[in-house]
């Protein structure tokens, strides 16, 4: 791996060479994380089955019950990708990019999910449509409104990360600022665990901050080169992440299960990201991974409650070991349709509209140009007398002698 020259730490110019290959492996890791979450919901949860899934999938359930760790992998990748995509961009560009990326498919997924659980409320029910409309903001967790789909809580975590990192983007993303951001966030997250402050806990997100922070450090390694400082940030983040794994296992299990498999998955995820940061996986150039990665977000948005409703309807007609893989294929197909006919075209329109709005805001926010004298001012009104600092014969330097005077 040839690392780019670092240049000035605050210059933000040193970068991976333009010929650097696309990181298709990140797309592959994203789709794996998504399928882990899907498998967890379809195999490990009672959901639409109506009974303990250990009786239905006695062997597969032992692995699927740790599929929720796909969320942690998403956050790890997000730290890497967001840091990479904001380099050299303005705050307005960052806002437009994120909004046009996450909202179009999300809006359609909300109405699809709400429609399905309204027509077939056996698994979940729509409490009221005011809550559905509030979900369109993606801020429902912040105002205490239930999520239309169970996976949407992670989107609020992601949004808060965007808001925090926007501070760096607003001042210009640089190597030093990213490292400082990682350090301050780590200290704040650790502090929130011992301070009874809901606001601090809400914004520092101690359970998930280590993944975002490590992702940022991994990207700095990839963009520049690995250093003891960056490895220290990653090591600290990994240890903090492992510290919180038992709590995450308890939150996602209805009975006591070992915690070491979840810890092992987290360690493997960090190891894979380290290989990516070091350029060891740049040779993975399978173009189909790009398409697979594009399906990650749509399938994540629509799979849980809609899938559980389908399982409830077909659980007595189709064998479970046939129903689950078939349902996953159907969901991937629906995700492709959502990506092609909603996410891409609507995302482009939203981006275009937001860019126009940003340009309009910048145009009207520019300081007014100094007024120029008009013809009426020159001809109809007396011009102010120009003040002469020196008479023509007066010397223009201090201490001039008599011989200098005219």
């Amino acid at each position: 791996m040839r690392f780019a020259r670092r240049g000035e730490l605050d210059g933000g110019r040193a970068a991976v060479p333009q010929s650097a290959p696309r990181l298709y492996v990140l797309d592959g890791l994203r789709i794996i994380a998504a399928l882990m979450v899907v498998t967890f919901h379809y195999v490990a949860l009672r959901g639409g089955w109506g009974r303990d899934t250990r009786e239905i999938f006695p062997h597969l359930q032992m692995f699927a019950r740790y599929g929720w760790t796909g969320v942690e992998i998403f956050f790890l990748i997000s730290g890497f990708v967001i840091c990479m995509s904001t380099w050299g961009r303005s705050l307005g560009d960052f806002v437009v990019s994120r909004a046009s990326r996450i909202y179009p498919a999300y809006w359609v997924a909300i109405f699809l999910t709400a429609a399905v659980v309204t027509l077939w409320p056996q698994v979940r029910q729509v409490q009221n449509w005011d809550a559905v409309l509030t979900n369109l903001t993606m801020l429902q967790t912040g105002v205490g409104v239930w999520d239309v789909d169970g996976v949407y809580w992670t989107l609020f975590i992601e949004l808060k990360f965007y808001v925090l990192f926007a501070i760096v983007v607003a001042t210009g993303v640089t190597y030093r600022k990213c490292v400082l951001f990682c350090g301050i966030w780590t200290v704040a997250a650790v502090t929130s665990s011992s301070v009874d402050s809901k606001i601090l806990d809400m914004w520092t997100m101690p359970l998930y901050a280590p993944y975002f922070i490590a992702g940022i450090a991994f990207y700095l390694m990839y963009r520049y080169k690995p250093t003891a400082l960056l490895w220290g940030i990653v090591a600290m983040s990994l240890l903090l992440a492992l510290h919180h794994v038992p709590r995450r296992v308890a939150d996602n299990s209805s009975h006591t299960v070992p915690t070491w498999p979840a810890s092992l998955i987290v360690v493997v995820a960090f190891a894979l990201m380290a290989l990516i940061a070091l350029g060891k996986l740049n040779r993975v150039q399978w173009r189909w991974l790009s398409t697979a990665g594009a399906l990650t977000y749509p399938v994540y948005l629509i799979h849980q409650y809609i899938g559980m409703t389908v399982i409830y309807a077909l659980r007595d007609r189709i064998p479970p070991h046939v129903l689950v893989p078939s349902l996953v294929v159907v969901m991937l197909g629906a995700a492709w349709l959502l990506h092609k006919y909603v996410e891409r075209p609507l995302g482009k329109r939203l981006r275009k509209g937001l860019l126009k709005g940003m340009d309009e805001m910048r145009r009207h926010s520019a300081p007014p140009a100094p007024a120029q004298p008009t013809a009426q001012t020159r001809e109809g009104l007396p011009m102010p007398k120009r003040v002469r600092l020196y008479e023509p014969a007066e010397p223009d330097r201090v201490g001039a002698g008599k011989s200098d005077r005219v």
Side-chain angles (χ1 to χ4, degrees), residues 108-121 124 126 129 132 148 306 309:
V108 175
I110 285 176
F111 287 115
L112 283 176
T113 303
V116 168
V117 299
T118 298
L119 294 173
W120 299 281
R124 290 292 186 277
V126 172
W129 280 88
V132 173
V148 169
I306 294 177
T309 301

Side-chain angles (χ1 to χ4, degrees), residues 12-311:
R13 290 294 181 182
V16 176
Q18 292 297 321
S19 59
R22 175 185 170 89
L23 293 175
Y24 287 101
V25 67
L26 279 179
D27 294 316
L29 192 56
R30 286 171 57 203
I31 194 63
I32 290 174
L35 292 177
M36 289 173 62
V37 176
V38 172
T39 303
F40 171 69
H41 289 146
Y42 290 174
V43 176
L45 300 185
R46 296 175 63 94
W49 300 107
R51 57 194 177 106
D52 194 333
T53 55
R54 288 178 296 180
E55 303 173 4
I56 305 173
F57 307 99
H59 302 294
L60 182 59
Q61 199 269 353
M62 295 176 61
F63 300 95
R65 64 191 180 190
Y66 299 104
W68 53 265
T69 54
V71 171
E72 274 73 357
I73 298 174
F74 278 135
F75 293 155
L76 187 60
I77 296 172
S78 182
F80 188 102
V81 172
I82 294 303
C83 187
M84 175 175 61
S85 62
T86 55
W87 215 277
R89 285 189 174 187
S90 67
L91 179 59
D93 293 335
F94 174 58
V95 172
V96 170
S97 172
R98 289 297 88 200
S100 60
R101 172 70 179 89
I102 65 177
Y103 274 108
Y106 172 72
W107 288 332
V108 175
I110 285 176
F111 287 115
L112 283 176
T113 303
V116 168
V117 299
T118 298
L119 294 173
W120 299 281
Q122 292 84 1
V123 176
R124 290 292 186 277
Q125 296 181 0
V126 172
Q127 296 181 3
N128 59 75
W129 280 88
D130 289 339
V132 173
L133 296 178
T134 303
N135 269 249
L136 295 175
T137 66
M138 206 179 285
L139 303 175
Q140 62 273 10
T141 303
V143 295
V145 175
W146 62 278
D147 295 310
V148 169
D149 198 290
V151 299
Y152 293 168
W153 69 270
T154 62
L155 304 181
F156 190 59
I157 299 293
E158 191 82 12
L159 273 182
K160 288 188 287 184
F161 168 54
Y162 295 163
V163 172
L164 292 176
F165 200 71
I167 300 173
V168 181
V169 178
T171 60
V173 181
T174 65
Y175 191 114
R176 180 177 286 119
K177 290 176 184 176
C178 288
V179 170
L180 185 62
F181 175 80
C182 291
I184 293 175
W185 194 3
T186 298
V187 172
V190 172
T191 302
S192 69
S193 300
S194 57
V195 176
D196 187 16
S197 173
K198 291 184 178 180
I199 295 179
L200 186 62
D201 186 75
M202 172 184 175
W203 283 105
T204 59
M205 302 173 287
L207 269 66
Y208 312 109
Y211 300 96
F212 293 113
I213 293 169
I216 293 172
F218 279 131
Y219 176 68
L220 293 177
M221 290 184 191
Y222 180 77
R223 185 182 181 93
Y224 296 93
K225 65 179 181 181
T227 65
L229 175 61
L230 296 178
W231 282 122
I233 293 173
V234 169
M236 185 72 69
S237 298
L238 175 58
L239 293 175
L240 291 174
L242 292 176
H243 170 74
H244 293 298
V245 164
R247 177 178 170 182
R248 290 282 290 145
V249 170
D251 290 343
N252 288 278
S253 304
S254 57
H255 51 277
T256 303
V257 298
T259 60
W260 69 263
S263 298
L264 178 61
I265 293 173
V266 170
V267 171
V268 170
F270 271 71
L272 287 174
M273 290 300 296
L275 293 176
I276 293 172
L278 297 175
K280 301 299 184 181
L281 300 180
N282 284 354
R283 294 183 179 180
V284 178
Q285 291 294 297
W286 305 331
R287 296 184 180 275
W288 61 268
L289 287 176
S290 178
T291 302
L295 303 182
T296 301
Y297 186 53
V299 77
Y300 185 79
L301 292 175
I302 64 175
H303 80 275
Q304 187 176 4
Y305 287 174
I306 294 177
M308 289 180 174
T309 301
V310 173
I311 290 174

Side-chain angles (χ1 to χ4, degrees), residues 364-380:
H364 290 293
S365 299
Q372 298 295 328
T374 63
Q376 181 180 3
T377 303
R378 293 193 297 268
E379 298 175 2

